[in-house]
């Protein structure tokens, strides 16, 4: 039980770092996804795939 504060501190540090990394990754991925969507052009010009078996 003497090491409990150290375990709590490491756990809190892990949670904080995890949140910071997830926010950073989300921001990085959202901007690259937004750029990809802009460079892809208008989605209405893309032909729809043939649906086999549809009646």
């Amino acid at each position: 039980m003497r090491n409990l504060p150290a375990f709590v501190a490491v756990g809190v540090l892990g949670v904080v770092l995890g949140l910071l990394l997830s926010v950073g990754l989300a921001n990085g991925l959202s901007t690259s996804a937004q750029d990809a969507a802009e460079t892809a052009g208008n989605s209405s010009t893309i032909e729809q795939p043939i649906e086999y078996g549809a009646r």
Side-chain angles (χ1 to χ4, degrees):
M1 294 301 286
R2 292 183 309 183
N3 293 333
L4 185 62
F7 285 120
V8 170
V10 169
V12 168
L13 183 64
V15 169
V16 169
L17 286 177
L19 287 173
L20 288 175
L21 285 174
S22 67
V23 168
L25 285 176
N27 287 339
L29 291 177
S30 67
T31 56
S32 62
Q34 199 172 27
D35 292 341
E38 289 173 358
T39 58
N42 191 357
S43 62
S44 64
T45 61
I46 300 172
E47 290 186 24
Q48 297 297 322
I50 300 171
E51 295 180 9
Y52 293 102
R55 294 181 183 210

